[in-house]
Amino acid sequence: MTSVDDWDKRFPVSEGLRPGIALLQDMCASFNSQLLVQPPAIAVESSEATTPVTNGVVDKPTLGGKLNPQLQFLRGSPQLSARRNASLRNLTVLARAASPRLRPAVAGTTELGALGILNGGDTEPPLTAGGVMGAMETPAQFLEWYGRVEETEAAGQDAEALAFASQLRERVSQCSQMLGCLDEISSLLSEMEADYQRVCQQTAGVESACASLGSQRDRLDQVASEIGEQLAVYNWLAPITRLLHAPGDRVCEDPEFLPSLDRTEEAIRFIESRVEESKDGELYLMRFAQCRMRALSLIKMHALRAFKALGSFDAKGSAVYVHYSAAAVGLGPLLRALQQRATEATERQVLSDVQNAYFATRRAWLRPHVQTHLRDIAAEHEAEKEMPVLERRVGALRDWCAFMMAVCADECRLYRDFFNCESDGEAGLLRSFLDSAMTLFHEQVRPLIIHESDVAVLAGISLTLMTYSRLPPSSSEDDGTEEEEEEEKEEAEDVDGLDAFYAVVGQVLEDTQHRLAYKAQSFIRANIGSYRITPPDTEAMAKWVHVCLRLRIADPAQLSALLGAPEDLLPEDAECLQWIYPPVDNCRWLIAQIDGCLDYEVQSGVVDEARTACKQNLLGTGARFVRDSSIKSENPITDAESELMAHLFATHNLAAIEGVIS
């Protein structure tokens, strides 16, 4: 057997191949000896053998049809396969470069044969070109053979990679196709979006055009409506004329009468504003004006007939007002329509005729009604002879005022049912009518005041008249709220119809107060300033002085204290001490009677005049008489005591006067 050294000498190997051979030896030594088995004596024709090879080892199936686990391990070890393939390829290249005269390798040499040679010659030599097993004599043959085996193995191993690469290329192609489809879809979506934006813009343009067309249509509809309304004005003439010239006396009671009158006024205003622009405008204006005058004349004739019928109604008291109020329901709107249109002289004359007819009808009924009622009231009170004159006079005056106040309020309310009272002219007509009614009241009351001389009766009449007079406006500095102002305005409107009543009452009150002040002055002169002591007064004064001397009363305060507690005195003594000098008593009575019945300044002057006259009479007549009568009495007293009694008498009576005034 040839040793290794002889082998090296016989077959020298260049230094460049030694690393590759060492690597190959290491790789072969690492395999298990069981894996390197003798291949079967069947020629392998090509690299397309049916027996699988993994990492240079034939994959032999086991009895169970399964592969050897070690072969599965070698096939699945990519690191070992990569190292082995790289080393063998390098060795093949080196061998070809070093031995150009190598024999051609056997085409059918298999991997197992090579493995058997590497295993130490235990295996059979490789097959020849004719399929016969042959021996390798030189390393170059081995290397060449091994290179072919490597190429065959590489081709077998690269098939899976090539299949994977082919599949990968197919997938890449599919992905490229999909990307192309996606690009096409993206371009289609972009086009669709552009088309959508264009459609939106076109839709917005259509909407804008529709909006402008809609506004134009509305404007045209409005113009058409205005034209129709303007043309309708001319169509009103025929039905209005037909209505106003209808036969009968109840044309004004037709429900279409007032609307037709309103349309006539509207047509006149419309044609007057366009009389120069419209054809036959003056003709239509004249015809509508005739219809308007015809309607106002019909209202006048209807009102005159109605007032005549109301004047012939025979009733008394409230039944007349009820009858007039019922007639005002249908007649009032017509008369107010007439008032609204009474702007020209002709229309005002028509309205004046209607108002004169109304006032004439009311005056014909109201004058006898008021006279009769005032006489009945006076007769009723005069029949009560058992009552004092003061109560009879004041009671009659109070009933007269209440009756006239109710008459004025009813007449004002009734007039407002028929007419409007907003203008000053209308209020003046009503005021003049009510003044004529209040004249009857003044004629009844004034003689009563002129012929009355009793201060008490005049004072009672003055108080009664002040009760029914209008209160003066409040002089508060603070401005009231809007609600209070509205309430005051409503109250003023409610009493507007009572202006005539308040005016006459104020005039009668003024006459009464003048009469009362005159009679009060006459009373002061007759019963206070010019009073003369009578025998009963002399006797009463003597008793008063006697009781004061007996009770030793020397101070006005002591006398006032005793009069404040009359239970400590004898009844006759208390009666004597309570006696008051008649002028003082008359002054106190007069002041009490005129209190609140006169103007403040006039009342103050009358009171001052009465107090001055009372003091003069008290000091000049009363006190002197007490002093002189005390000296000349049956039981004369000293001069000092008489002076003391005169002073006590004057002081006590002056205190009584001041007490009343305060």
Side-chain angles (χ1 to χ4, degrees):
M1 186 175 185
T2 305
S3 62
V4 176
D5 294 333
D6 294 340
W7 182 272
D8 290 336
K9 290 179 180 180
R10 186 177 177 181
F11 301 101
V13 179
S14 63
E15 293 298 329
L17 296 176
R18 290 186 182 279
I21 295 172
L23 180 60
L24 180 62
Q25 290 177 354
D26 293 337
M27 294 293 292
C28 292
S30 64
F31 284 98
N32 193 350
S33 61
Q34 295 179 0
L35 297 175
L36 301 176
V37 295
Q38 179 73 26
I42 300 172
V44 179
E45 297 180 356
S46 65
S47 63
E48 297 178 359
T50 59
T51 303
V53 178
T54 303
N55 293 331
V57 181
V58 178
D59 296 341
K60 294 179 66 177
T62 59
L63 294 176
K66 298 181 180 179
L67 295 177
N68 193 336
Q70 295 178 350
L71 295 178
Q72 292 178 359
F73 169 75
L74 292 175
R75 177 179 291 180
S77 178
Q79 296 178 355
L80 181 59
S81 177
R83 291 176 59 190
R84 179 178 59 81
N85 293 337
S87 62
L88 292 180
R89 288 190 185 95
N90 293 332
L91 290 176
T92 303
V93 172
L94 291 175
R96 288 177 180 177
S99 300
R101 297 179 300 172
L102 290 177
R103 290 183 303 175
V106 181
T109 304
T110 62
E111 182 182 0
L112 291 178
L115 292 177
I117 295 171
L118 292 175
N119 201 21
D122 293 338
T123 60
E124 295 180 358
L127 296 176
T128 62
V132 182
M133 187 74 66
M136 295 183 185
E137 295 178 356
T138 63
Q141 293 177 353
F142 169 75
L143 293 175
E144 185 178 359
W145 168 80
Y146 193 78
R148 293 178 180 179
V149 171
E150 280 292 326
E151 291 177 359
T152 304
E153 183 65 21
Q157 291 182 355
D158 291 341
E160 184 178 358
L162 292 174
F164 180 75
S166 176
Q167 186 178 4
L168 183 61
R169 283 191 295 271
E170 184 179 358
R171 295 294 184 269
V172 169
S173 177
Q174 293 177 357
C175 291
S176 299
Q177 293 177 0
M178 292 178 65
L179 290 175
C181 292
L182 291 177
D183 292 338
E184 293 178 359
I185 293 172
S186 178
S187 63
L188 290 175
L189 290 176
S190 299
E191 293 177 0
M192 291 176 64
E193 184 178 3
D195 293 340
Y196 174 74
Q197 296 294 335
R198 184 170 61 258
V199 171
C200 290
Q201 293 177 359
Q202 293 176 357
T203 303
V206 172
E207 290 179 354
S208 177
C210 291
S212 62
L213 290 176
S215 61
Q216 185 177 3
R217 182 197 60 188
D218 295 338
R219 183 174 57 82
L220 293 176
D221 291 341
Q222 184 178 2
V223 172
S225 178
E226 293 177 356
I227 293 174
E229 292 178 358
Q230 295 176 3
L231 294 178
V233 171
Y234 298 95
N235 296 330
W236 292 344
L237 181 60
I240 291 174
T241 305
R242 187 166 51 254
L243 175 64
L244 297 179
H245 289 82
D249 298 335
R250 298 185 177 275
V251 177
C252 295
E253 298 178 1
D254 193 302
E256 293 295 327
F257 181 80
L258 288 178
S260 298
L261 184 57
D262 294 336
R263 285 194 292 269
T264 303
E265 294 288 338
E266 183 179 354
I268 291 175
R269 289 193 298 270
F270 176 79
I271 297 175
E272 285 179 348
S273 62
R274 296 171 176 82
V275 64
E276 297 180 357
E277 302 175 359
S278 60
K279 183 180 179 181
D280 298 334
E282 296 181 356
L283 178 61
Y284 276 98
L285 181 62
M286 180 185 65
R287 291 183 178 179
F288 276 112
Q290 291 175 354
C291 291
R292 179 174 180 270
M293 195 62 199
R294 170 71 178 175
L296 299 181
S297 300
L298 289 175
I299 293 175
K300 172 185 174 181
M301 291 185 292
H302 179 70
L304 294 179
R305 285 194 299 269
F307 292 148
K308 184 177 180 180
L310 292 172
S312 61
F313 180 73
D314 188 10
K316 295 182 180 180
S318 60
V320 175
Y321 291 101
V322 172
H323 195 64
Y324 271 81
S325 299
V329 174
L331 190 57
L334 298 174
L335 297 181
R336 284 189 285 272
L338 176 60
Q339 279 185 295
Q340 293 175 359
R341 292 160 178 82
T343 56
E344 301 296 334
T346 306
E347 289 84 354
R348 286 198 297 269
Q349 183 61 41
V350 173
L351 177 62
S352 177
D353 295 340
V354 174
Q355 290 175 336
N356 292 335
Y358 170 80
F359 287 125
T361 303
R362 292 301 305 155
R363 193 178 294 109
W365 175 85
L366 187 62
R367 188 175 184 85
H369 173 69
V370 171
Q371 290 177 344
T372 302
H373 204 79
L374 292 178
R375 286 195 299 266
D376 293 343
I377 292 174
E380 180 180 356
H381 285 278
E382 291 297 333
E384 298 176 356
K385 299 296 184 181
E386 67 277 3
M387 294 181 63
V389 176
L390 174 62
E391 295 183 5
R392 293 203 302 268
R393 297 286 192 274
V394 173
L397 180 62
R398 183 172 55 251
D399 292 344
W400 285 344
C401 291
F403 169 71
M404 293 306 301
M405 189 174 187
V407 167
C408 291
D410 292 339
E411 290 296 327
C412 178
R413 184 173 56 255
L414 186 61
Y415 182 79
R416 288 177 177 175
D417 290 341
F418 286 97
F419 303 94
N420 288 326
C421 268
E422 298 177 355
S423 62
D424 296 337
E426 302 296 332
L429 292 174
L430 178 61
R431 174 64 183 275
S432 62
F433 168 71
L434 295 177
D435 286 340
S436 63
M438 289 301 299
T439 302
L440 303 175
F441 171 78
H442 187 267
E443 293 175 355
Q444 189 75 21
V445 176
R446 184 172 176 76
L448 176 65
I449 297 172
I450 293 175
H451 295 91
E452 186 61 52
S453 58
D454 191 351
V455 174
V457 175
L458 291 173
I461 293 174
S462 178
L463 285 176
T464 302
L465 293 174
M466 291 178 68
T467 303
Y468 285 95
S469 63
R470 175 177 288 175
L471 296 176
S474 59
S475 59
S476 177
E477 296 180 357
D478 299 334
D479 296 335
T481 61
E482 294 181 359
E483 295 181 356
E484 294 177 354
E485 292 178 357
E486 291 180 358
E487 291 179 357
E488 292 178 358
K489 184 177 180 180
E490 291 178 357
E491 292 178 358
E493 291 178 355
D494 292 339
V495 300
D496 277 345
L498 301 179
D499 288 342
F501 172 79
Y502 289 135
V504 175
V505 169
Q507 184 179 357
V508 174
L509 176 62
E510 185 178 355
D511 295 341
T512 303
Q513 289 176 343
H514 284 299
R515 182 71 176 171
L516 176 60
Y518 173 73
K519 286 299 179 182
Q521 292 174 348
S522 300
F523 182 83
I524 291 171
R525 289 192 298 270
N527 298 303
I528 298 176
S530 301
Y531 182 79
R532 295 291 180 266
I533 299 175
T534 60
D537 296 335
T538 302
E539 183 179 356
M541 293 171 66
K543 290 181 179 180
W544 186 85
V545 171
H546 177 69
V547 172
C548 288
L549 291 174
R550 183 166 54 83
L551 297 178
R552 299 183 181 278
I553 300 174
D555 188 7
Q558 182 182 1
L559 179 59
S560 299
L562 290 174
L563 292 176
E567 63 274 4
D568 297 338
L569 300 174
L570 295 175
E572 56 273 13
D573 293 341
E575 184 179 359
C576 290
L577 292 177
Q578 290 176 354
W579 182 81
I580 299 296
Y581 185 53
V584 175
D585 194 16
N586 293 336
C587 181
R588 294 172 60 185
W589 177 84
L590 178 63
I591 293 174
Q593 290 296 323
I594 66 174
D595 185 24
C597 298
L598 297 173
D599 185 69
Y600 178 76
E601 296 180 357
V602 176
Q603 180 177 338
S604 299
V606 173
V607 170
D608 292 341
E609 183 179 354
R611 182 172 56 182
T612 302
C614 185
K615 287 182 179 180
Q616 292 177 356
N617 188 286
L618 178 63
L619 298 176
T621 303
R624 183 182 302 174
F625 183 81
V626 169
R627 184 179 64 251
D628 295 344
S629 62
S630 298
I631 295 174
K632 297 178 181 179
S633 62
E634 296 178 356
N635 298 319
I637 58 177
T638 61
D639 293 341
E641 291 178 346
S642 63
E643 290 291 339
L644 179 61
M645 289 297 102
H647 177 72
L648 180 62
F649 178 78
T651 305
H652 173 64
N653 285 275
L654 287 175
I657 297 174
E658 297 299 331
V660 172
I661 295 174
S662 61

